[in-house]
Amino acid sequence: MHKSRFFSGIALLALSASGCGLAAASPERDVVVPAEPTAIDFVDPATVIGLSTRTVTEGDSSGSRYVHIDYPEFAGATALNRELRAQAERQLREFRARNRNVEPVSPRPELNVDWQLAVASPEAVAVRLRTGEFQGDSWANSTRTFWFDPRTGRATGSTGLLNGRPALVRLAELVREQLKGRELVKKKGSQAESDAFDSMAFNHRGDLVVEFDDCQMGPCSLGRVAVAVPADRVAPLLSALGRQAQRSVRETRAGRSADTPRFAPTTSPDAVSNRAGSVDCRKVRCVALTFDDGPGPYTGRLLDLLKAGRARATFFTVGSNAMAQPALLRRMSVEGHLVGNHTWAHRDLSKQASSRITDTLAKTGDAVSAVIGQTPTLVRPPYGATSQRLHDVAREMGFALVTWDVDTKDQNGGKVEDIADRAVRGAHPGAIILMHDIHRETVDAVPDILKRLRGKGYTFVTVPELYGSVGMQAGRLYRSGNELPRKQPLT
């Protein structure tokens, strides 16, 4: 089913001598890639020891709004972890307040937050949060960068790179100088206000890149507006953390091979379970357990439980989480599970243009392929939301679409026994059961689910095995193994 593609996302690069592998600079292709010098090189999160991911999500149930917030968590960085968690909670709280009286009809309001590492070294760590909010007809995008000093254990916003208020005032002047030639840009947005300077990082030359949110500096059609203040001009304005960060970025860049390719051909075979074909679902009662949104902090334990229970599952991974925790992806593949595609950042695909759908699916597939040597051919649309454009893109790219017919309603955790009861009560031969491995309660429910369903004669297989020799066709939507794909329409 898989069609050959080229690696289109963040390139996985070899470790540098300092231990920080760099990923090619870049927002996703749905954002205009800025010309130098405002491009930033981002650290490959897989090279950061002790990094895990956290996810806050809402929306799989009908009638709810869509929320998906991902952020990293670091071993030994308590203050930074606290700031990131507080920011996630604040954004969720404010989003709920803005939409308290909004009916969640289609298209539903959506809050989406993902992240990148602008630097990760013994001298400085920077997490760049990228927020998209959909309100009825368009997306509003913003960025905020948090900084951490490993030497002092302190976390700060981007203005912590500067040596106090006078330095912020001078930076605002330098930014205004660079904006003078941009006719459409408003000057008022470059005043010395902390909120206006909440996303700053260094490019590979040590210039300070100052980013502004959509609509903050001019018409929303401008998209991302950023300026790069030259290293020599910003140097006198930097705090101790700022000097450490600037030095770290320059040194890390110097260790990067100049001819490292940003793109590499993808020739990996289609992803399949290494035990595919060992069960004939025409003769036994089969059920497919599926887990969305990971890998997360509980995925390792889940894999232990599935192994102990002789059960296999299908994992629909979010690309940014998968890239940060490749060891868990490798375990999934080696232990007989199937890795599926759940997009890069979990945005509702039914709101996206074809080019953006293509980008997020290709980027996630390439990231997974780089880790396990197989390219996922199953896509679970975030929130189960589909559109004609999605069907068309999936057919062209060689992807089958998979939703579910049994919902354990574990999106916000819930009671372990309730999650298990819903899974067992809804199970039937050919069932596709929805769960999320980002929740502790879900993982805690798995032993009971396995025991009770096995007692009813069920065997646990990956999704494609439900369809046997008939197989799964690109562009089609599959909700249950009981449906006859040959009789389904493509839309």
Side-chain angles (χ1 to χ4, degrees), residues 176-192:
R176 282 198 297 273
E177 287 180 15
Q178 295 212 27
L179 293 177
K180 282 182 180 178
R182 306 188 189 185
E183 297 179 359
L184 296 177
V185 174
K186 297 179 292 189
K187 292 183 179 180
K188 66 178 183 179
S190 56
Q191 299 300 316

Side-chain angles (χ1 to χ4, degrees), residues 14-37:
L15 290 177
S16 68
S18 66
C20 291
L22 287 179
S26 67
E28 296 177 67
R29 280 200 297 258
D30 59 352
V31 177
V32 176
V33 177
E36 290 283 9

